[in-house]
Amino acid sequence: MAIVRVALPVATHQLFDYWLPAGLAVEPGSVLVVRLGRRRMHGVAVEVVESSEVAPERLMPVDEVLSDLPPLPSDLRELASFVSTYYQEPIGLCLAHMLPPLAQDNGGRAPLARAYRLTLTGHATFANNTTKKGTALGKAISMLSAAEGVATDELRKQGANVWRAFGKWRREGSVEAVVEAIVNGAPSPVPALNPDQQTALDAAVVEVFAFRPSLLQGVTGSGKTEVYLAAAARVIDAGRQALLLVPEINLTPQLEQRIAAALPAVRVAALHSRLGAAERRTRWLAAARGEIQLLVGTRLAVFTPLPRLGLIVVDEEHDASFKQQDAVRYHARDVAIFRAQLRGVPIVLGSATPSLESYAQAKRGRYRWLKLPKRATANSALPAVHLVPTRDQGNIEGIGPALQRAIAARIAKHEQSLLFINRRGFAPSLLCAACGWKAMCPRCSARLVVHRDDAMLRCHHCGHAAALPAACPDCGNQDLLPLGFGTQRLERALNELFPGARVLRVDRDSTRRKGSFAIMRDAIEAGEVDILVGTQMLAKGHDFPRMTLVGVLGADNALYSAEFRATERLFALLEQVAGRAGRGALAGQVLLQTDFPDHPLYRALIGHDYDRYAEALLAERQSLGLPPFAHLALLAAEAKTRGSMMSFLDAAAERGRAVIAAHACRCELYPPVPAGLARRAGMERGQVLVQSNDRRSLQAFLPLWRAELEQLGQRRVRWSIDVDPLSFA
Ligand code: ADP
Ligand code: ZN
Ligand code: ZN
């Protein structure tokens, strides 16, 4: 009897055995349906064997083998096994994470794109179909055959028959959404690479069959994107596929438009979690069939099957959104490096402010270090950064006189200003001046944020919301003080300071409705906005040619944060925000309000000298024994009561020390402590940090420790291990 060993998406590292009924064919990587207890679930076949340790009468059969999904290729299974081992995540969850959405019938319900065209499969299906000529269906098919596709509205006009057939074609993957730009964009001319870019390109992609990691360190606007696209073109010309990973927030229509303009003949697809399930599935299948030549996507795209992979690019490689923080905890940049190595292809990591991990690798010579020190366009320089005092006479609602004057000057010249503050809401806390009461979240150890828009207090950690009180709940005092500043407060202040100016606020609250961000971006581009107020949503990937002033407020908050990467991130964020200024022909200026003008971070920022700051940070990390000089893993636990959480962590730490002693692991295990946010959504949180100077020692320790933790059998405690945590505060 053939036995299939199946990985299921459940929180265990073991495989499950099923017997294979006659007539079903399974190979490693096949996606199947099986029963586990009462549940039917999808699993991935890992191997087919002759016998099982489970008694035959207790074995269940494989119910179904999905025939419309190709088996996961071996390189992806190997990648899953790497992710499972390295990140201590169950193999079944890792494999499940790589599959496209499996639901069959939601094609019709996924949001419609503006235009569609035939996929390569669609072309093949309809190629010899002459019978439909002259009919409405035939006409629809020929409209869909055009490279630029056909507008969805136009298809809808072709009648109910066509519309129904179209629904079926969407579900079966015969048609795909057309990247918006192809429909309504006038392609802009693509510049020829300058010598720096050409040198970088030639060094990064020498041949398409060898693992070759490069760090492309280029200031904002230096033309990194052009290098990525030229590199992609090079491998595509050689018949290969390219994968471009971008941070969540960078996958903008602007980027898709640029790609469409630069590579008009290339089949490009975007892959991200906001797509409907059917669309994701269609694109996944097209990538797996080798039809997609350039796949652009967020972190999850790193797991897409690409049979002819020839290049991986990770844009803004330092960005924290590449780290998935729940379900399967992995870092897409690091997985991408492993995948490039596995497949023997070049990989380019690009950033203006590389992560210290990548920076250190480049310094050690492990990555080729490629630099673009200047902005690419002839008349565009990096913006001048000036530090101005926060507490200055004439400061109105946090906006100092220097910034007020600068904004007024921009308004007079019909140029745009951006005020950046990384905090949404009106004010980060509410205080009673009479008795000292503070508005705290009942479920978290955190203050509630004042939201003026809808007169609410909101918790930014758990989403708890309550009406803004009219009086202090403790003493009845009606004089409640909102403390600190958020985007809403700045918006109000700007409206009062500059009554004629058009102020637009862009943050998660103002862009909640789907598509609203796109509308805002169009308004900014069309010059219908004078002053923008926003959070880091605005920091990245946008190119507004009339934006000549960036004001930064509240940056000091991150300077003395307990999180060890806080300043590294602050520098990256500020450099990126500063990079919004003066991207066109007009010179840009940055005014940063601070109480600490001598801080080394700001001194380096003035010179746009990341190297200087990176070197200082590296020295600090080395002396503190922190990454990239040491390797970390964090056991995080949460429970309803502090007692059960801490007793779990105490036991965990004890077991960990025993493992270290028994196996002579070169790891250090720190005592359990409450998390930086000690309570969230009603759960008490704590952690144990493990540190090692030797990655292999840590990797050897973790599975042994995890096995011990699983034996602790604490049902009331939720725990997880985070390998290479971004923070442990
Ligand atoms: P980055 O990705 O490094 O921020 P981009 O690739 O977005 O930089 O380039 C910034 C701007 O410079 C874009 O408007 C781009 O069209 C332009 N640009 C890039 N390379 C060149 C070049 N070789 N010559 C002229 N303009 C260029
Ligand atoms: Zn009070
Ligand atoms: Zn809360």
Side-chain angles (χ1 to χ4, degrees):
M1 185 164 58
I3 305 293
V4 189
R5 313 211 67 204
V6 181
L8 292 174
V10 289
T12 162
H13 287 252
Q14 89 196 64
L15 298 176
F16 297 84
D17 290 358
Y18 293 84
W19 61 272
L20 187 66
L24 290 185
V26 164
E27 57 184 294
S30 294
V31 184
L32 346 141
V33 179
V34 294
R35 270 165 296 170
L36 183 68
R38 293 222 196 114
R39 285 198 290 161
R40 268 166 67 89
M41 53 175 81
H42 289 105
V44 176
V46 172
E47 53 178 346
V48 183
V49 292
E50 303 278 287
S51 64
S52 170
E53 285 173 10
V54 183
E57 65 275 14
R58 292 188 49 219
L59 279 181
M60 307 267 277
V62 170
D63 285 351
E64 200 185 317
V65 181
L66 297 194
S67 55
D68 53 349
L69 208 64
L72 272 182
S74 63
D75 73 310
L76 276 190
R77 284 180 278 129
E78 207 172 322
L79 196 63
S81 130
F82 162 76
V83 171
S84 169
T85 314
Y86 186 84
Y87 292 105
Q88 301 298 312
E89 296 286 5
I91 182 71
L93 288 178
C94 298
L95 285 164
H97 204 66
M98 299 185 165
L99 298 176
L102 295 171
Q104 299 288 317
D105 57 357
N106 55 358
R109 268 179 272 137
L112 282 166
R114 290 174 52 172
Y116 285 84
R117 65 176 168 195
L118 293 185
T119 57
L120 289 188
T121 330
H123 277 292
T125 310
F126 296 121
N128 303 315
N129 202 335
T130 47
T131 53
K132 289 192 182 119
K133 268 226 175 93
T135 65
L137 276 184
K139 187 175 165 208
I141 290 167
S142 77
M143 284 157 73
L144 282 162
S145 311
E148 71 278 9
V150 53
T152 312
D153 288 342
E154 197 55 39
L155 269 181
R156 203 193 304 261
K157 283 189 210 144
Q158 307 300 313
N161 259 348
V162 167
W163 194 244
R164 216 171 307 125
F166 171 63
K168 180 170 145 279
W169 297 337
R170 282 182 75 202
R171 285 191 294 277
E172 68 193 18
S174 300
V175 296
E176 65 187 353
V178 177
V179 176
E180 203 124 315
I182 303 177
V183 193
N184 56 8
S188 48
V190 177
L193 297 187
N194 62 36
D196 284 345
Q197 288 169 313
Q198 191 64 45
T199 307
L201 170 66
D202 291 338
V205 188
V206 175
E207 46 179 354
V208 291
F209 300 109
F211 174 59
R212 187 180 177 91
S214 310
L215 175 63
L216 179 60
Q217 184 181 345
V219 298
T220 56
S222 59
K224 295 185 290 299
T225 309
E226 300 298 336
V227 175
Y228 306 152
L229 297 183
R234 195 173 268 195
V235 304
I236 290 166
D237 277 348
R240 315 287 285 189
Q241 295 171 288
L243 171 63
L244 168 58
L245 297 175
V246 298
E248 211 67 63
I249 217 160
N250 268 27
L251 195 53
T252 57
Q254 279 179 333
L255 177 66
E256 294 190 3
Q257 211 158 339
R258 268 182 81 175
I259 295 173
L263 307 170
V266 168
R267 299 193 79 88
V268 184
L271 202 62
H272 51 83
S273 55
R274 296 183 310 281
L275 288 172
E279 197 59 53
R280 249 172 83 185
R281 188 182 154 94
T282 303
R283 294 178 191 192
W284 190 96
L285 286 168
R289 285 190 301 260
E291 293 178 6
I292 308 272
Q293 293 169 297
L294 171 58
L295 183 70
V296 191
T298 53
R299 61 172 183 252
L300 67 92
V302 75
F303 296 123
T304 315
L306 294 160
R308 291 180 289 107
L309 182 65
L311 169 74
I312 305 181
V313 176
V314 185
D315 182 29
E316 309 287 4
E317 64 88 27
H318 66 278
D319 197 283
S321 78
F322 286 121
K323 177 85 194 261
Q324 176 149 303
Q325 306 278 19
D326 55 3
V328 179
R329 291 176 180 74
Y330 66 92
H331 199 301
R333 176 198 61 219
D334 298 338
V335 174
I337 292 167
F338 184 80
R339 190 171 185 190
Q341 197 162 12
L342 192 66
R343 294 289 297 264
V345 299
I347 177 166
V348 180
L349 309 178
S351 175
T353 51
S355 64
L356 292 181
E357 278 77 4
S358 301
Y359 196 92
Q361 293 288 51
K363 264 186 84 170
R364 280 184 213 131
R366 302 251 186 89
Y367 298 169
R368 220 157 277 270
W369 204 347
L370 314 171
K371 297 196 176 186
L372 299 177
K374 296 188 298 288
R375 280 199 160 171
T377 39
N379 43 12
S380 154
L382 285 169
V385 178
H386 303 282
L387 305 178
V388 293
T390 306
R391 295 162 228 271
D392 222 351
Q393 285 238 313
N395 177 317
I396 294 171
E397 288 282 79
I399 306 170
L403 195 47
Q404 293 172 28
R405 279 194 303 275
I407 295 171
R410 294 313 182 293
I411 295 174
K413 285 192 285 185
H414 301 292
E415 293 172 9
Q416 292 171 321
S417 307
L418 161 66
L419 248 60
F420 172 82
I421 183 162
N422 215 6
R423 198 170 251 165
R424 64 194 171 88
F426 184 81
S429 62
L430 187 68
L431 179 81
C432 169
C435 75
W437 170 86
K438 286 190 206 86
M440 299 294 293
C441 177
R443 300 159 35 112
C444 304
S445 49
R447 296 181 184 190
L448 290 172
V449 178
V450 180
H451 281 247
R452 266 284 165 86
D453 272 12
D454 46 3
M456 299 292 269
L457 286 171
R458 291 182 188 282
C459 175
H460 286 187
H461 298 286
C462 74
H464 172 86
L468 196 62
C472 173
D474 280 4
C475 75
N477 167 31
Q478 300 200 337
D479 194 15
L480 296 178
L481 294 177
L483 283 188
F485 299 93
T487 46
Q488 294 178 4
R489 190 165 194 171
L490 284 183
E491 179 188 22
R492 194 181 69 168
L494 289 165
N495 276 319
E496 284 169 9
L497 276 167
F498 305 102
R502 296 158 301 180
V503 179
L504 179 68
R505 174 165 62 87
V506 180
D507 58 24
R508 199 134 51 84
D509 300 310
S510 73
T511 55
R512 195 145 280 162
R513 256 188 317 121
K514 202 165 181 258
S516 51
F517 189 32
I519 295 169
M520 292 183 182
R521 202 180 41 234
D522 290 347
I524 302 166
E525 267 175 27
E528 291 161 12
V529 174
D530 300 310
I531 310 172
L532 270 168
V533 184
T535 55
Q536 60 179 341
M537 278 190 87
L538 279 177
K540 308 178 186 181
H542 306 291
D543 212 340
F544 303 121
R546 296 200 66 79
M547 178 92 62
T548 57
L549 172 69
V550 170
V552 180
L553 286 83
D556 288 349
N557 287 328
L559 284 185
Y560 299 98
S561 160
E563 293 188 28
F564 77 97
R565 285 181 219 268
T567 50
E568 177 186 348
R569 266 201 216 160
L570 178 63
F571 192 101
L573 187 58
L574 292 178
E575 194 58 59
Q576 227 156 11
V577 182
R580 294 312 105 206
R583 282 179 77 90
L586 304 166
Q589 189 189 29
V590 177
L591 294 187
L592 189 146
Q593 294 194 170
T594 174
D595 289 332
F596 305 96
D598 296 324
H599 194 285
L601 188 154
Y602 296 139
R603 304 314 310 174
L605 188 73
I606 289 176
H608 299 288
D609 190 354
Y610 182 62
D611 291 287
R612 177 168 140 192
Y613 195 57
E615 292 293 347
L617 282 180
L618 281 175
E620 193 180 295
R621 297 275 180 87
Q622 186 154 30
S623 70
L624 294 172
L626 287 170
F629 299 97
H631 306 282
L632 304 178
L634 191 69
L635 169 66
E638 57 176 42
K640 288 243 163 60
T641 67
R642 202 186 136 99
S644 47
M645 183 270 293
M646 282 309 270
S647 67
F648 168 79
L649 285 182
D650 284 335
E654 195 182 304
R655 300 266 180 129
R657 278 188 289 267
V659 169
I660 289 173
H663 296 85
C665 302
R666 285 186 290 138
C667 297
E668 195 170 346
L669 193 145
Y670 291 86
V673 289
L677 186 67
R679 204 156 66 94
R680 185 173 67 195
M683 301 293 270
E684 299 290 338
R685 311 163 75 230
Q687 61 195 34
V688 170
L689 183 69
V690 187
Q691 184 243 38
S692 175
N693 292 329
D694 176 39
R695 193 191 288 285
R696 254 168 292 156
S697 282
L698 184 62
Q699 283 288 314
F701 164 72
L702 289 174
L704 300 171
W705 192 32
R706 194 199 62 225
E708 294 283 332
L709 299 179
E710 280 164 0
Q711 283 178 2
L712 284 176
Q714 277 281 4
R715 264 200 229 100
R716 278 169 303 161
V717 181
R718 276 205 299 248
W719 60 270
S720 60
I721 295 176
D722 188 356
V723 180
D724 302 334
L726 288 185
S727 77
F728 54 84

